[in-house]
Amino acid sequence: QVQLVESGGGMVQPGGSLRLSCAASGSILGIVEMGWYRQAPGRGRDFVARILSGGRTNYADSVKGRFTISRDTGKNTVFLQMNSLKAGETGGYHCYAFVDGANRWGQGTQVTVSS
């Protein structure tokens, strides 16, 4: 089993920045990719960004140029640097790891973008 723990959420004004972290533990050797989804109130989860085991990254069109996903392999941690945040990007940010053919999820960390 893989356990994921997110941190770094909080409240920020529009245009501000936050850095989210996702620490993985357990059976991490089989992880193929890790990434982030956002869930706004009353909505399903929307893809934000992912990083594959070889280092390739993908982003939702809406965050390209503003968000950066990276990883610290030694610490089994993935980061999401979010700049120029918008009010519509408020929501729970959930980290996932794709391992053994399925996504494993963390509990999420709340991001609120408001003036």
Side-chain angles (χ1 to χ4, degrees), residues 2-9 19-25 28 31 33-37 49 51 69-81 93-98 104-109:
V2 172
Q3 293 79 43
L4 302 172
V5 178
E6 302 100 326
S7 62
R19 188 191 195 209
L20 306 183
S21 299
C22 175
S25 61
I28 63 172
I31 293 176
E33 69 178 64
M34 293 181 68
W36 296 87
Y37 275 68
I51 184 165
I69 189 169
S70 62
R71 65 185 180 186
D72 183 331
T73 304
K75 296 182 178 179
N76 304 318
T77 300
V78 169
F79 305 98
L80 184 68
Q81 177 67 43
Y93 282 69
H94 296 265
C95 175
Y96 76 92
F98 187 76
R104 313 296 180 187
W105 296 93
Q107 291 298 309
T109 185

Side-chain angles (χ1 to χ4, degrees), residues 47-82:
F47 170 74
V48 176
R50 66 177 178 179
I51 184 165
L52 281 69
S53 57
R56 185 163 61 95
T57 58
N58 295 112
Y59 298 92
D61 287 343
S62 62
V63 307
K64 286 180 181 177
R66 298 185 296 119
F67 289 15
T68 303
I69 189 169
S70 62
R71 65 185 180 186
D72 183 331
T73 304
K75 296 182 178 179
N76 304 318
T77 300
V78 169
F79 305 98
L80 184 68
Q81 177 67 43
M82 306 186 294

